[in-house]
Amino acid sequence: MRTIEPWVERPLTTFVAEAQVRVALLMTSSGQVVAQHGFTRSLDVMTAAALGAGIVASTREIAREMSAGTFGAVVHQGPRLGVYLMPFEMPGGTWIGLAVFGPDTSLGIVQLFFGKLVDDLVREAPREAPTRQVLPETFEDDLNQSLRALFGR
Amino acid sequence: MTSREQTVLDDVTRIGGVRSALLVSADDGLVVAESSVEGQHTEAAAAFAARLAQRLTVLTRTLQTPPMSMLLLQASGGQLFITQGGEGLLFVAITSNDVNIGEVRLALLDAAGRIA
Amino acid sequence: MTDDIASMTLKLAQDPASLVFLPLAESLRKRGQLDAALTVAARGAARYPELADAHDLVARIQSDRGAGDDAFDAWTSVLRLVPDHLGAHKGLAFLSYRTGDLGRSVKHLTRALELAPTDTSLAGAIERLRTLMATRAESVNPPEADRIPVTPEADRGRPATEQTPTLLFDQQGRVMQGTLARADGVDASDAVAAALAGVSREAERATRLLDLGEWRAIAIESGAVNYELRTPTPETLLLVMRGREVPAGRLARIADRAVERARQWLEDIV
């Protein structure tokens, strides 16, 4: 597991162990990676973060167009693997969680422990720390900076 | 969720000692319908009930006995009943330990029959 | 305990040649931190290859981890250094029993009894194993005889068809005692033990998060068959099965008695 924010590590470790997910990724709504577990290549993290942020953004836009309020989790259930993607509010803005899980767990278990992960993150987030605005023009730099921190490159 | 499912679940929670009754998707472990007497962890109960049922299905498959029709998990602070609730569904009840096990068992089997 | 471990860890860090690794690894083992305990003990045993107690500690940790082959090697090393090491004879007796080598198990227990003649549990274990060996020799169906130690008292004297198939296995899915057969008579003991190994942790997690306390039993109805799953000890699981003609309440009593016998057997054999 690699994290940019040290206080994220304990809640995410607990989530991975309890929910028995194979891959977990926490990112901001702009795709800036905060922590990852289970990825072995930086390219995979970059792709997952970009796609995850994009899916959440487009789902929100659809909800807005339909005047449907907000959608919750986005779930894709395949025969061997499932993907759970869920935006949630943190003190500094919206974050997105992405989890990939296999038949050794279930959507209900993942959803249950994701709720606990969010509670833990909100509780442990430093309140006084200034939140850095992630501007569109710095997106790529932020992403690369995150990846360097996560993979030691 | 239909009013018929809600009525069936409400009938189960009327039994003394039953804290909540749920209809759960067997594969996902998600709550389909619920009736709770008080603030219960219904989301957790659904997730774990489906997981336990899946794990114990391996037992009956291995020993070539028919699929599980009823499962009762007994603990120091309460009990978890699980029964098949039709296609891809489970009926789940959380009760105290002073409940009449036979009555809850029959009520769940009856509920499963009414929903199927 | 935590303070002790911290101070012993500090002492070992300051002086890697210190023998404090022995109590430190033992404390970690007792706390269930088996990987950490093994690291400490294995380093100590490598530094002091002639120290029998270091190898004995490694063996006990490996046994706790379910690594029977590694435990066997470590206890064999102990006996090369100290042929009369009581703990090594007991440990090898247990491992031999687990692998079905009853003769070797009795041999190690007998030597242990010579070294500790007042230990009545050793005498009891030898007697049980000898009875089991004699029954096996007489029987054309060894698995049936293997069921004896945990067969409920209520089943004694009953024809085999009315007895309670009972399986005792550890949390790693390895059969310790008894057999379960499929309807067509094929032995399914190993498959059942492997399938149910993680159920205890699953049940424990469920009851913890649902505020139901400690789990005690899982009763399963499956057509014409009822099952009851118990945990005689934190490391073991016991499954009993009977036809539906045995009411659930009676099966629970049968399971109670099987649990008692399993606990007694486990105490005797270790």
Side-chain angles (χ1 to χ4, degrees), chain B residues 58-79:
Chain B
V58 181
L59 169 69
T60 54
R61 201 186 306 138
T62 303
L63 286 169
Q64 297 182 337
T65 54
M68 176 204 85
S69 54
M70 174 72 69
L71 187 154
L72 170 57
L73 169 64
Q74 296 179 295
S76 56
Q79 304 181 93

Side-chain angles (χ1 to χ4, degrees), chain C residues 48-264:
Chain C
Y48 294 100
E50 304 301 311
L51 186 62
D53 283 349
H55 295 288
D56 179 49
L57 190 51
V58 169
R60 282 186 286 121
I61 296 166
Q62 294 287 26
S63 181
D64 288 352
R65 295 173 79 239
D69 289 347
D70 293 326
F72 186 90
D73 290 345
W75 269 317
T76 304
S77 299
V78 173
L79 290 187
R80 270 201 300 271
L81 296 165
V82 182
D84 290 341
H85 196 287
L86 178 61
H89 281 293
K90 281 185 179 179
L92 287 169
F94 178 61
L95 293 178
S96 301
Y97 177 80
R98 287 259 292 265
T99 57
D101 190 346
L102 302 188
R104 186 180 290 269
S105 184
V106 168
K107 189 180 132 200
H108 283 294
L109 284 173
T110 304
R111 185 68 193 124
L113 185 60
E114 287 168 5
L115 297 167
T118 55
D119 190 338
T120 53
S121 69
L122 288 171
I126 292 168
E127 191 183 329
R128 279 168 193 273
L129 281 181
R130 285 194 170 136
T131 305
L132 188 57
M133 287 166 75
T135 313
R136 275 190 175 183
E138 288 169 8
S139 173
V140 290
N141 183 6
E144 186 69 28
D146 215 15
R147 237 173 13 226
I148 286 174
V150 291
T151 298
E153 203 66 47
D155 282 350
R156 291 300 167 95
R158 288 176 183 275
T161 50
E162 291 181 21
Q163 290 194 353
T164 305
T166 305
L167 189 69
L168 180 68
F169 50 101
D170 65 18
Q171 296 277 12
Q172 281 77 43
R174 291 168 301 188
V175 173
M176 299 180 75
Q177 189 60 261
T179 55
L180 282 184
R182 293 187 334 208
D184 58 7
V186 173
D187 186 350
S189 308
D190 288 334
V192 169
L196 295 184
V199 166
S200 178
R201 280 187 292 277
E202 206 78 61
E204 183 190 321
R205 202 159 69 124
T207 53
R208 174 166 46 87
L209 280 152
L210 296 174
D211 294 330
L212 294 178
E214 197 175 330
W215 83 274
R216 293 170 174 165
I218 298 176
I220 305 146
E221 294 178 23
S222 164
V225 180
N226 286 339
Y227 301 93
E228 181 117 356
L229 186 67
R230 301 287 187 92
T231 53
T233 65
E235 299 82 25
T236 59
L237 286 162
L238 180 84
L239 181 72
V240 297
M241 68 182 278
R242 285 297 292 264
R244 283 290 288 276
E245 71 280 1
V246 176
R250 187 168 156 226
L251 182 60
R253 293 298 177 92
I254 289 172
D256 286 343
R257 286 195 284 270
V259 165
E260 283 171 24
R261 291 183 64 79
R263 283 181 183 148
Q264 185 60 52

Side-chain angles (χ1 to χ4, degrees), chain A residues 62-115:
Chain A
I62 291 169
R64 196 181 64 79
E65 288 287 327
M66 294 169 60
S67 303
T70 54
F71 289 142
V74 178
V75 179
H76 294 284
Q77 190 95 50
R80 288 190 309 111
L81 292 175
V83 177
Y84 181 85
L85 188 65
M86 176 77 164
F88 58 97
E89 292 308 314
M90 288 290 288
T94 303
W95 281 20
I96 299 166
L98 182 149
V100 178
F101 58 96
D104 38 351
T105 185
S106 69
L107 175 58
I109 297 275
V110 173
Q111 182 173 274
L112 174 70
F113 286 104
F114 192 84

Side-chain angles (χ1 to χ4, degrees), chain B residues 43-61:
Chain B
E43 191 187 24
F48 285 117
R51 189 82 195 115
L52 267 179
Q54 283 168 3
R55 291 298 294 253
L56 291 165
T57 296
V58 181
L59 169 69
T60 54
R61 201 186 306 138

